[in-house]
């Protein structure tokens, strides 16, 4: 009788252990899925503010273009950057196109501020520049939040014991939003061309 009770106790312990292990694995999997969804949600927010700026730029360009006859190069760069962003389909393509757009818009804002003080004081232009500045600030905030979400996700995927389950289930580290290498160089504004 004691052998049967010992066998049953051992079997019950094994079943409880397996159920607990399965429960832990389900919890870790759900945690990884939630983290991945948070990354996708935050990227969507980055795209939302990038789209806002993308839609705003034509208004800014239209408002200042007539007064800035010599700035065809700047407007051409903005147009090209907008096209690149509009046709980008992957996250890395959008990040690269966004870097081009950042540089072009920055150049335009600098040109207006430095070389066209009357235009800068125009109410419509001032309103649009304020909106553009607000967009740039929103983009900066959302990029930071995206990178924070990526950091949390990557830690989750890389730390033990979740890394074992993550590897088995195909969860991989994700790339941070990084500035284009050209972003560290200030754009040159040359009005003599």
């Amino acid at each position: 009788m004691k052998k049967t009770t010992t066998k049953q106790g051992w079997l019950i312990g094994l079943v409880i252990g397996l159920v607990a292990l399965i429960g832990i694995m389900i919890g870790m999997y759900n945690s990884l899925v939630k983290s991945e969804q948070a990354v996708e949600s935050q990227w969507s927010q980055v795209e939302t503010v990038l789209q806002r700026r993308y839609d705003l730029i034509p208004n800014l360009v239209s408002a200042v273009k007539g007064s800035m006859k010599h700035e065809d190069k700047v407007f051409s760069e903005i147009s090209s950057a907008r096209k690149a962003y509009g046709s980008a389909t992957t996250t890395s393509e959008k990040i690269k196109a966004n870097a081009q757009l950042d540089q072009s818009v920055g150049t335009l804002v600098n040109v207006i501020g430095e070389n066209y003080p009357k235009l800068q004081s125009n109410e419509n232009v001032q309103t649009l520049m304020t909106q553009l500045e607000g967009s740039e600030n929103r983009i900066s905030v959302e990029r930071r939040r995206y990178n924070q979400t990526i950091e949390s996700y990557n830690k989750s995927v890389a730390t033990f014991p979740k890394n074992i389950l993550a590897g088995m289930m195909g969860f991989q580290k994700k790339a941070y939003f990084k500035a284009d290498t050209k972003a560290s160089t200030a754009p040159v504004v040359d009005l003599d061309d």
Side-chain angles (χ1 to χ4, degrees), residues 111-150:
V111 167
I112 292 170
E114 293 172 7
N115 302 303
Y116 295 92
K118 284 184 180 177
L119 182 61
Q120 185 179 7
S121 66
N122 177 299
E123 188 178 332
N124 291 335
V125 173
Q126 188 60 45
T127 299
L128 289 169
M129 287 180 66
T130 301
Q131 289 293 320
L132 191 56
E133 181 181 354
S135 291
E136 296 304 315
N137 290 337
R138 285 181 181 98
I139 290 167
S140 177
V141 166
E142 296 306 334
R143 283 179 188 157
R144 182 181 50 78
R145 287 180 182 161
Y146 176 73
N147 280 343
Q148 288 172 334
T149 306
I150 290 287

Side-chain angles (χ1 to χ4, degrees), residues 50 53 80-88 90-104 180:
L50 291 175
R53 178 184 60 185
S80 296
R82 277 191 84 241
K83 282 182 189 172
Y85 182 80
S87 64
T90 66
T91 301
S92 60
E93 287 175 353
K94 287 186 180 194
I95 289 171
K96 184 177 178 183
N98 178 63
Q100 289 176 296
L101 202 50
D102 281 347
Q103 187 172 3
S104 300
D180 188 279

Side-chain angles (χ1 to χ4, degrees), residues 99 103 178-185:
Q103 187 172 3
K178 293 183 181 177
D180 188 279
T181 54
K182 296 175 191 170
S184 62
T185 307

Side-chain angles (χ1 to χ4, degrees), residues 41-55:
S41 173
Q42 190 55 49
W43 175 249
S44 177
Q45 186 59 31
V46 170
E47 285 187 314
T48 298
V49 293
L50 291 175
Q51 185 68 44
R52 180 182 186 275
R53 178 184 60 185
Y54 177 83
D55 294 340

